[in-house]
Amino acid sequence: MQTAPKKVVNAWAMYDWVNSVYNLVITSTMFPAYFEEVTKGNNGNVRFLGREFVNTSLYNYALAFAFLMVAFMSPILSSIADYKGNKKNFMRFFATLGSGSCSLLFLFKGDNLLLGIVCVVLACIGFWASLVFYNSYLPEIAAEEDRDRISAKGFTMGYLGSVLLQVVCFALFFFPTSFGLKDGTQALQVSFLMVGIWWFGFAQIPLSVLPISSKSERKSKHHVLANGFIELKKVWLQLIHMPVLKRFLFSFFFYNMGVQTVMLAATLYGKSELAIPTTNLIIAILLIQLVAIPGAILISKLSGKIGNIKALMICVAIWIVLCYAGYLIPKGGIMEFYVLAACVGFVMGGIQSLSRSTYAKLMPETKDTTSFFSFYDVTEKIAIVIGMFSFGYITELFNGSQRNSVLALMSFFVIGLILLFFTLQAQQKAKS
């Protein structure tokens, strides 16, 4: 196949620009810090649905629940999209759900905890469910030799867009009175509203340009709601006979468990465990985004020279070192946190982009790309559920301390690295 026209490719990459503001402002920087701040009374313990939680653990559990819902919904949604050819409609629905939920966080002030948790869950579902259909466009619009480059372009656009809005939110936070706001807390609330408006507004560009997928030529013998899970079973039965792709997915399951949990829990770890001020946390996360742009590009070029699997092994090895460094950072170690943030940023974008394009390269030729990417997505989400639940549960076991949770993440990366080694062996054997 040939790569789609530049206009279509740019529109596809634009959706990363659109939704990455959620990942940065809501999940990575401002909202976690805001949530910890407005729920830190009573020694950080909160009561939710009749049970008392450590506030940071409740946040981790809420995200784990959201990802569990996405993992369950993805096969059903993918099945409907594949057989009816309306994946773009699903992208539109979940983008609207996510952006609307972000906007409603403007009303969350700490005392209305149910509203905050529900909006966090729905925004997460909206973001990740829309990515199921967004990612499945990649093999449809890009020739195999262009997928690494186009995938990296998407992540680069995402970092640029998210950093741009983050700088605006940063200005609101530091100079609230200059913008007619009462204080930094109100500035954070306005930031959540801006994320929702940005996400919904810019999403109209890719949604107007991306092609409408054709309906599957196959006739389903099963109910459309059950068919997605049957499709996952079919994908798995194909994977059994594809040792390289099967081993890659097992390794991805473990190292992605670490990557995503670090991204989702880093701000709460810095705020609650390391006592890093909110201002410094925002600077650190902004630094991550800036460093991630050249990191994604350089790691993409590295994969072109030494191969995707070897490049991923280098990235995962660096993550192992970074987790141990994070465990050792002293309380109040702002400069150490900055250095760690810069290193995390460099490998963060690269490993995500390279994982997506590696999967696209290794998967077989098929018209039902959404089913294969649904399998990838379910693998990713179940990994996140386990990672976030483990992080929150271990934190509660150790009376609110999150340092041992970081060591658990390091073990996930170690397992992922070992499995990548076996993936490389299978790949070399297949070529010989």
Side-chain angles (χ1 to χ4, degrees):
M1 64 164 289
Q2 290 185 334
T3 297
K6 188 176 181 179
K7 179 181 178 181
V8 174
V9 171
N10 288 340
W12 180 84
M14 188 71 184
Y15 193 69
D16 258 315
W17 166 284
V18 167
N19 62 30
S20 291
V21 295
Y22 160 82
N23 240 353
L24 179 57
V25 178
I26 303 298
T27 67
S28 298
T29 56
M30 292 187 160
F31 185 76
Y34 176 81
F35 182 88
E36 199 277 339
E37 182 67 28
V38 298
T39 60
K40 68 179 181 181
N42 192 28
N43 296 318
N45 294 315
V46 294
R47 195 156 193 85
F48 184 73
L49 298 181
R51 183 184 183 278
E52 194 168 88
F53 295 87
V54 175
N55 59 347
T56 56
S57 293
L58 175 61
Y59 184 78
N60 291 333
Y61 293 151
L63 289 179
F65 175 76
F67 284 115
L68 185 62
M69 291 297 98
V70 174
F72 175 75
M73 291 163 55
S74 291
I76 299 174
L77 300 174
S78 299
S79 171
I80 296 172
D82 257 346
Y83 280 87
K84 294 186 178 296
N86 58 353
K87 70 172 66 176
K88 190 158 73 168
N89 289 341
F90 281 101
M91 272 186 67
R92 178 179 288 107
F93 172 79
F94 285 108
T96 303
L97 175 68
S99 59
S101 300
C102 288
S103 298
L104 285 175
L105 285 174
F106 172 77
L107 302 175
F108 173 56
K109 298 180 180 179
D111 54 344
N112 49 349
L113 190 58
L114 181 62
L115 173 68
I117 294 298
V118 169
C119 286
V120 164
V121 170
L122 292 180
C124 183
I125 290 174
F127 174 79
W128 288 101
S130 68
L131 285 186
V132 174
F133 307 103
Y134 168 65
N135 286 335
S136 69
Y137 267 111
L138 180 58
E140 291 187 13
I141 66 169
E144 182 176 343
E145 64 271 15
D146 293 328
R147 287 173 191 169
D148 284 352
R149 175 182 59 82
I150 292 174
S151 180
K153 180 176 184 176
F155 276 103
T156 301
M157 287 285 289
Y159 290 126
L160 288 172
S162 58
V163 167
L164 179 60
L165 185 61
Q166 178 74 90
V167 169
V168 175
C169 296
F170 202 58
L172 292 177
F173 179 76
F174 274 111
F175 311 104
T177 55
S178 300
F179 296 93
L181 302 174
K182 183 172 64 175
D183 52 26
T185 300
Q186 190 177 49
L188 291 176
Q189 292 174 277
V190 171
S191 297
F192 309 150
L193 179 61
M194 290 174 63
V195 169
I197 294 172
W198 176 290
W199 188 353
F200 180 81
F202 282 112
Q204 306 314 308
I205 297 175
L207 289 173
S208 64
V209 176
L210 285 173
I212 297 175
S213 299
S214 58
K215 296 182 180 180
S216 174
E217 295 177 0
R218 297 177 297 140
K219 299 295 182 182
S220 177
K221 298 179 181 179
H222 310 279
H223 192 281
V224 69
L225 296 181
N227 193 67
F229 297 99
I230 295 169
E231 287 299 308
L232 289 187
K233 181 180 178 181
K234 290 180 180 178
V235 170
W236 171 248
L237 291 175
Q238 292 183 62
L239 287 173
I240 292 175
H241 304 289
M242 304 177 69
V244 179
L245 183 55
K246 182 178 69 173
R247 292 185 185 188
F248 168 72
L249 275 174
F250 274 120
S251 62
F252 171 74
F253 178 80
F254 282 98
Y255 74 71
N256 186 67
M257 195 184 298
V259 171
Q260 297 295 342
T261 305
V262 167
M263 291 172 62
L264 293 168
T267 299
L268 286 178
Y269 181 72
K271 178 78 172 174
S272 179
E273 185 67 37
L274 302 181
I276 306 294
T278 300
T279 299
N280 300 103
L281 279 173
I282 295 173
I283 294 173
I285 302 299
L286 185 60
L287 179 62
I288 287 177
Q289 304 303 308
L290 292 173
V291 175
I293 297 172
I297 296 171
L298 290 174
I299 290 173
S300 175
K301 290 183 178 180
L302 176 66
S303 69
K305 292 184 177 181
I306 67 174
N308 288 38
I309 304 301
K310 288 182 180 178
L312 284 170
M313 289 176 70
I314 292 173
C315 290
V316 174
I318 294 173
W319 273 106
I320 293 171
V321 175
L322 295 179
C323 281
Y324 188 64
Y327 171 78
L328 296 176
I329 288 181
K331 197 165 189 174
I334 295 175
M335 291 309 299
E336 292 93 332
F337 194 73
Y338 282 163
V339 173
L340 182 66
C343 295
V344 165
F346 187 82
V347 291
M348 182 179 70
I351 199 169
Q352 289 181 285
S353 171
L354 197 55
S355 295
R356 180 169 64 183
S357 60
T358 299
Y359 182 75
K361 279 184 174 182
L362 294 177
M363 62 184 280
E365 289 289 335
T366 177
K367 291 184 177 180
D368 293 328
T369 57
T370 309
S371 294
F372 267 85
F373 267 97
S374 176
F375 195 96
Y376 177 85
D377 191 70
V378 169
T379 301
E380 181 181 50
K381 299 308 170 292
I382 293 176
I384 297 173
V385 170
I386 296 172
M388 293 300 292
F389 181 83
S390 299
F391 200 92
Y393 185 69
I394 294 172
T395 296
E396 289 199 306
L397 279 181
F398 288 90
N399 300 315
S401 174
Q402 301 176 61
R403 290 187 186 269
N404 290 291
S405 298
V406 174
L407 288 183
L409 295 185
M410 188 173 74
S411 68
F412 298 149
F413 283 113
V414 171
I415 296 171
L417 180 60
I418 294 170
L419 292 173
L420 275 175
F421 174 75
F422 288 124
T423 304
L424 180 63
Q425 283 190 320
Q427 188 179 54
Q428 291 174 337
K429 183 178 179 181
K431 290 180 178 179
S432 62

